[in-house]
């Protein structure tokens, strides 16, 4: 039986809502690198679109059980 990967908000690598931690777990990356990448992308996009995307992901991505 083949296991499928699902994107969840992380409970163990959570700083705010667990979105970056969940993305890091999904792609098997270091959560700190994902957070730094998110901050850099948000800063380059003048902050607002990055914050909006984070809030949308917070609402849409289910929490890990």
């Amino acid at each position: 039986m083949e296991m499928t990967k699902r994107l969840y908000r992380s409970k163990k690598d959570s700083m705010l809502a667990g979105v970056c931690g969940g993305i890091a777990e999904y792609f098997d990356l270091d959560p700190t690198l994902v957070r730094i990448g998110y901050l850099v992308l948000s800063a380059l996009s003048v902050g607002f679109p990055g914050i909006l995307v984070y809030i949308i992901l917070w609402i849409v991505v289910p929490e890990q059980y």
Side-chain angles (χ1 to χ4, degrees):
M1 183 173 191
E2 185 177 324
M3 299 286 292
T4 57
K5 283 174 58 170
R6 299 229 17 203
L7 178 62
Y8 293 104
R9 289 185 289 135
S10 177
K11 284 187 176 181
K12 68 177 184 173
D13 286 321
S14 175
M15 288 195 116
L16 182 62
V19 174
C20 290
I23 291 170
E25 287 178 12
Y26 184 81
F27 290 109
D28 197 29
L29 298 170
D30 182 18
T32 304
L33 293 177
V34 174
R35 289 182 186 104
I36 291 171
Y38 165 76
L39 289 174
V40 168
L41 286 174
S42 292
L44 294 176
S45 65
V46 192
F48 180 73
I51 294 170
L52 183 62
V53 167
Y54 192 89
I55 292 171
I56 291 170
L57 287 172
W58 189 349
I59 293 168
V60 173
V61 176
E63 188 172 14
Q64 192 177 35
Y65 46 88

